[in-house]
Amino acid sequence: EIMLRETYESNPNVLAEALCHDSPLRPRAEQDFGNIHHSTTLTQWLDFLIDSRLVKNITNDGIQKFLVLPVEKRSGANETLFEKHIENLQRHLLKNRYGVDASDKMMQLAQEKKVKKEEEKRRLNKPKRDTHLHSSSKFHNSTKPMLTKLGECCLARYLIDDYRLIQSMLGGEKISNIDLAIAGLDPLDAHPVIQKACTWGNEQHKQECRGDLISMLMRRAKYLDESKGSCSAIVS
């Protein structure tokens, strides 16, 4: 927060725009972005499935499963499906371990316990505690809450390999009649297990999981197509 406040005027847009390819501030901005510990990129997290030197060390009977839990607020939606993905993962793991009947019973008991707990909170009228506050609150919530279109474009292009990896999770297929490969978003070379990202759970969950990943790509597609010119040209 101190770095953002002192160097970038407490404005994430200034940092995001500094990450653009044509920005003279890019080298410094890249270093500062890397120093934000919760900003680890997707490709950094999953480098062991991307870096050929690391992938070659994975044996044939090594990594067999790969699951993702997308956190995506789709256009027009009031909330993400993340909690639903968590519930589906719990059901999936319990089903594999204990069978369908037992997993359904355990999920039902968990839901009943959750409802009972929420009712007890309402009965006691306990105020919701702010146990976790963003560091910007220390400076009177001075950080600007949203990115501009230019900042969004610059950040998306800076993270383009992350979006290419998401494309890889979908198997590199054509999406909604838009060929993202033509739009400059070729799938990232990665271990084949990456394509199993949304192949777990029932059919409804598979579609919801893939739908969230597709939404991530579609919302940024216009920015990720570098053939359309610079971010400044796209948003002007």
Side-chain angles (χ1 to χ4, degrees):
E1 175 63 28
I2 293 176
M3 176 270 292
L4 185 62
R5 179 167 54 91
E6 295 181 350
T7 307
Y8 300 99
E9 306 168 10
S10 292
N11 191 338
N13 284 297
V14 178
L15 174 57
E17 292 172 14
L19 290 170
C20 255
H21 294 300
D22 55 357
S23 171
L25 301 176
R26 182 180 170 98
R28 169 67 187 274
E30 286 183 309
Q31 181 180 356
D32 289 338
F33 185 86
N35 288 332
I36 302 175
H37 297 299
H38 59 269
S39 68
T40 303
T41 66
L42 188 61
T43 48
Q44 288 173 331
W45 276 114
L46 298 175
D47 63 341
F48 62 97
L49 293 176
I50 302 168
D51 189 324
S52 59
R53 296 167 299 179
L54 301 176
V55 170
K56 71 179 182 181
N57 293 325
I58 301 176
T59 60
N60 292 332
D61 58 348
I63 302 174
Q64 299 296 316
K65 296 181 180 180
F66 177 76
L67 297 77
V68 299
L69 299 172
V71 183
E72 167 70 353
K73 185 176 180 181
R74 302 192 198 182
S75 177
N78 294 323
E79 57 187 15
T80 72
L81 295 176
F82 184 64
E83 289 191 5
K84 189 173 183 181
H85 292 321
I86 290 289
E87 182 179 324
N88 285 327
L89 177 59
Q90 293 173 330
R91 190 183 304 277
H92 175 70
L93 295 176
L94 290 172
K95 178 182 176 181
N96 286 349
R97 179 67 176 85
Y98 300 106
V100 177
D101 293 339
S103 67
D104 287 347
K105 182 62 176 178
M106 285 186 276
M107 291 298 295
Q108 180 182 349
L109 290 173
Q111 180 62 25
E112 291 174 354
K113 184 177 180 180
K114 179 181 178 181
V115 171
K116 185 176 180 180
K117 187 175 182 180
E118 291 174 348
E119 289 177 347
E120 182 68 9
K121 283 184 178 180
R122 285 196 296 270
R123 186 180 70 81
L124 297 175
N125 196 26
K126 288 185 177 181
K128 195 172 183 180
R129 294 184 301 170
D130 292 328
T131 53
H132 302 286
L133 293 175
H134 191 272
S135 58
S136 62
S137 63
K138 182 178 178 182
F139 303 103
H140 310 288
N141 293 311
S142 57
T143 302
K144 307 298 187 299
M146 295 183 66
L147 293 179
T148 62
K149 294 297 184 182
L150 178 59
E152 187 177 353
C153 179
C154 293
L155 185 58
R157 288 195 175 183
Y158 179 71
L159 299 174
I160 193 167
D161 280 347
D162 282 3
Y163 290 101
R164 292 178 62 205
L165 186 58
I166 293 173
Q167 175 76 337
S168 300
M169 293 177 187
L170 292 164
E173 65 177 34
K174 291 185 178 181
I175 299 172
S176 300
N177 297 320
I178 295 180
D179 191 340
L180 291 176
I182 294 177
L185 197 66
D186 296 319
L188 198 66
D189 289 335
H191 189 282
V193 76
I194 209 80
Q195 297 184 24
K196 295 184 178 181
C198 290
T199 61
W200 58 278
N202 58 32
E203 285 303 315
Q204 179 181 349
H205 171 261
K206 291 176 184 177
Q207 292 303 316
E208 289 174 342
C209 178
R210 292 178 63 81
D212 275 359
L213 296 185
I214 290 171
S215 175
M216 292 178 186
L217 295 176
M218 295 300 295
R219 287 199 300 120
R220 304 288 189 271
K222 61 182 178 181
Y223 300 139
L224 297 171
D225 185 359
E226 295 183 325
S227 68
K228 292 183 178 179
S230 68
C231 285
S232 296
I234 291 175
V235 303
S236 60

